[in-house]
Short mmCIF file of all heavy atoms in Angstrom, two decimals:
data_model
loop_
_atom_site.label_atom_id
_atom_site.label_comp_id
_atom_site.label_asym_id
_atom_site.label_seq_id
_atom_site.Cartn_x
_atom_site.Cartn_y
_atom_site.Cartn_z
N GLY A 57 0.98 -2.86 4.01
CA GLY A 57 -0.33 -3.43 4.22
C GLY A 57 -1.36 -2.99 3.21
O GLY A 57 -1.17 -1.99 2.50
N PHE A 58 -2.45 -3.77 3.16
CA PHE A 58 -3.60 -3.41 2.30
C PHE A 58 -4.74 -2.99 3.16
O PHE A 58 -5.02 -3.61 4.19
CB PHE A 58 -4.04 -4.63 1.41
CG PHE A 58 -3.09 -4.93 0.25
CD1 PHE A 58 -2.08 -5.85 0.38
CD2 PHE A 58 -3.24 -4.24 -0.92
CE1 PHE A 58 -1.19 -6.12 -0.67
CE2 PHE A 58 -2.34 -4.50 -2.00
CZ PHE A 58 -1.35 -5.42 -1.89
N TYR A 59 -5.44 -1.94 2.72
CA TYR A 59 -6.76 -1.61 3.28
C TYR A 59 -7.78 -1.94 2.18
O TYR A 59 -7.56 -1.74 1.00
CB TYR A 59 -6.85 -0.13 3.58
CG TYR A 59 -6.16 0.29 4.85
CD1 TYR A 59 -4.85 0.64 4.92
CD2 TYR A 59 -6.88 0.28 6.09
CE1 TYR A 59 -4.21 1.00 6.12
CE2 TYR A 59 -6.30 0.64 7.25
CZ TYR A 59 -4.96 1.01 7.31
OH TYR A 59 -4.37 1.36 8.50
N LEU A 60 -8.93 -2.55 2.63
CA LEU A 60 -10.01 -2.87 1.69
C LEU A 60 -11.04 -1.76 1.77
O LEU A 60 -11.42 -1.31 2.85
CB LEU A 60 -10.60 -4.21 2.07
CG LEU A 60 -9.57 -5.39 2.10
CD1 LEU A 60 -10.23 -6.70 2.51
CD2 LEU A 60 -8.80 -5.53 0.80
N ALA A 61 -11.54 -1.35 0.61
CA ALA A 61 -12.47 -0.23 0.58
C ALA A 61 -13.91 -0.77 0.78
O ALA A 61 -14.31 -1.72 0.15
CB ALA A 61 -12.41 0.51 -0.68
N ASP A 62 -14.63 -0.06 1.73
CA ASP A 62 -16.06 -0.31 1.92
C ASP A 62 -16.76 0.98 1.46
O ASP A 62 -16.97 1.91 2.24
CB ASP A 62 -16.28 -0.64 3.39
CG ASP A 62 -17.76 -0.75 3.72
OD1 ASP A 62 -18.63 -0.60 2.83
OD2 ASP A 62 -18.14 -0.95 4.92
N SER A 63 -17.04 1.01 0.17
CA SER A 63 -17.56 2.27 -0.44
C SER A 63 -18.92 2.65 0.10
O SER A 63 -19.21 3.82 0.24
CB SER A 63 -17.61 2.14 -2.00
OG SER A 63 -16.34 2.01 -2.46
N GLU A 64 -19.71 1.60 0.40
CA GLU A 64 -21.06 1.91 0.97
C GLU A 64 -20.97 2.74 2.29
O GLU A 64 -21.71 3.66 2.46
CB GLU A 64 -21.77 0.55 1.26
CG GLU A 64 -23.24 0.73 1.49
CD GLU A 64 -23.90 -0.56 2.02
OE1 GLU A 64 -23.38 -1.65 1.71
OE2 GLU A 64 -24.90 -0.44 2.74
N HIS A 65 -19.92 2.43 3.08
CA HIS A 65 -19.83 3.13 4.36
C HIS A 65 -18.70 4.21 4.28
O HIS A 65 -18.36 4.74 5.36
CB HIS A 65 -19.57 2.15 5.52
CG HIS A 65 -20.73 1.22 5.71
ND1 HIS A 65 -20.73 -0.10 5.22
CD2 HIS A 65 -21.93 1.33 6.25
CE1 HIS A 65 -21.85 -0.69 5.53
NE2 HIS A 65 -22.62 0.19 6.15
N GLN A 66 -18.20 4.35 3.08
CA GLN A 66 -17.07 5.36 2.88
C GLN A 66 -15.93 5.18 3.87
O GLN A 66 -15.49 6.17 4.57
CB GLN A 66 -17.68 6.81 3.04
CG GLN A 66 -18.70 7.14 1.92
CD GLN A 66 -17.96 7.53 0.65
OE1 GLN A 66 -17.36 8.56 0.51
NE2 GLN A 66 -18.08 6.67 -0.37
N GLN A 67 -15.47 3.95 4.00
CA GLN A 67 -14.35 3.70 4.91
C GLN A 67 -13.45 2.63 4.38
O GLN A 67 -13.78 1.83 3.49
CB GLN A 67 -14.87 3.36 6.33
CG GLN A 67 -15.70 2.12 6.41
CD GLN A 67 -16.16 1.84 7.84
OE1 GLN A 67 -15.99 2.68 8.71
NE2 GLN A 67 -16.74 0.70 8.07
N LEU A 68 -12.24 2.56 4.95
CA LEU A 68 -11.22 1.58 4.62
C LEU A 68 -11.09 0.67 5.79
O LEU A 68 -11.04 1.12 6.95
CB LEU A 68 -9.89 2.30 4.34
CG LEU A 68 -9.88 3.26 3.21
CD1 LEU A 68 -8.74 4.32 3.34
CD2 LEU A 68 -9.72 2.57 1.88
N ILE A 69 -10.98 -0.61 5.52
CA ILE A 69 -10.82 -1.64 6.57
C ILE A 69 -9.47 -2.28 6.39
O ILE A 69 -9.15 -2.78 5.30
CB ILE A 69 -11.94 -2.75 6.42
CG1 ILE A 69 -13.32 -2.10 6.20
CG2 ILE A 69 -11.87 -3.72 7.59
CD1 ILE A 69 -13.88 -1.42 7.38
N LEU A 70 -8.71 -2.38 7.50
CA LEU A 70 -7.39 -2.98 7.42
C LEU A 70 -7.45 -4.46 6.99
O LEU A 70 -8.25 -5.22 7.56
CB LEU A 70 -6.65 -2.84 8.80
CG LEU A 70 -5.28 -3.39 8.80
CD1 LEU A 70 -4.34 -2.61 7.86
CD2 LEU A 70 -4.71 -3.29 10.28
N GLY A 71 -6.64 -4.81 5.99
CA GLY A 71 -6.57 -6.21 5.56
C GLY A 71 -5.20 -6.75 5.97
O GLY A 71 -4.61 -6.31 6.97
N PRO A 72 -4.62 -7.64 5.14
CA PRO A 72 -3.32 -8.22 5.39
C PRO A 72 -2.25 -7.16 5.53
O PRO A 72 -2.23 -6.20 4.70
CB PRO A 72 -3.05 -9.14 4.24
CG PRO A 72 -4.43 -9.46 3.72
CD PRO A 72 -5.23 -8.25 3.90
N PHE A 73 -1.36 -7.31 6.49
CA PHE A 73 -0.26 -6.35 6.63
C PHE A 73 0.89 -7.05 7.30
O PHE A 73 0.74 -8.05 8.01
CB PHE A 73 -0.63 -5.10 7.43
CG PHE A 73 -0.88 -5.32 8.91
CD1 PHE A 73 0.14 -5.05 9.78
CD2 PHE A 73 -2.10 -5.80 9.35
CE1 PHE A 73 -0.04 -5.27 11.17
CE2 PHE A 73 -2.34 -5.99 10.75
CZ PHE A 73 -1.29 -5.75 11.63
N ILE A 74 2.11 -6.45 7.12
CA ILE A 74 3.28 -6.84 7.87
C ILE A 74 3.89 -5.63 8.53
O ILE A 74 4.05 -4.58 7.83
CB ILE A 74 4.43 -7.44 6.93
CG1 ILE A 74 3.84 -8.52 5.95
CG2 ILE A 74 5.60 -7.94 7.73
CD1 ILE A 74 3.81 -9.88 6.51
N GLY A 75 4.25 -5.71 9.79
CA GLY A 75 4.86 -4.58 10.50
C GLY A 75 4.14 -4.46 11.89
O GLY A 75 3.40 -5.34 12.25
N GLU A 76 4.45 -3.36 12.51
CA GLU A 76 3.88 -3.20 13.88
C GLU A 76 2.37 -3.08 13.82
O GLU A 76 1.90 -2.48 12.84
CB GLU A 76 4.44 -1.86 14.46
CG GLU A 76 5.85 -1.98 14.94
CD GLU A 76 6.39 -0.73 15.61
OE1 GLU A 76 5.60 0.19 15.90
OE2 GLU A 76 7.59 -0.67 15.87
N PRO A 77 1.65 -3.61 14.79
CA PRO A 77 0.23 -3.44 14.85
C PRO A 77 -0.22 -1.99 14.81
O PRO A 77 0.53 -1.15 15.33
CB PRO A 77 -0.22 -4.14 16.12
CG PRO A 77 0.93 -4.97 16.53
CD PRO A 77 2.17 -4.38 15.97
N THR A 78 -1.28 -1.64 14.14
CA THR A 78 -1.74 -0.23 14.08
C THR A 78 -3.17 -0.14 14.70
O THR A 78 -3.95 -1.04 14.57
CB THR A 78 -1.75 0.24 12.61
OG1 THR A 78 -2.40 1.53 12.59
CG2 THR A 78 -2.60 -0.66 11.68
#
Side-chain angles (χ1 to χ4, degrees):
F58 284 96
Y59 281 90
L60 305 179
D62 175 0
S63 295
E64 194 189 333
H65 299 101
Q66 294 282 290
Q67 62 181 7
L68 298 158
I69 312 290
L70 183 61
F73 71 96
I74 309 274
E76 286 184 8
T78 174

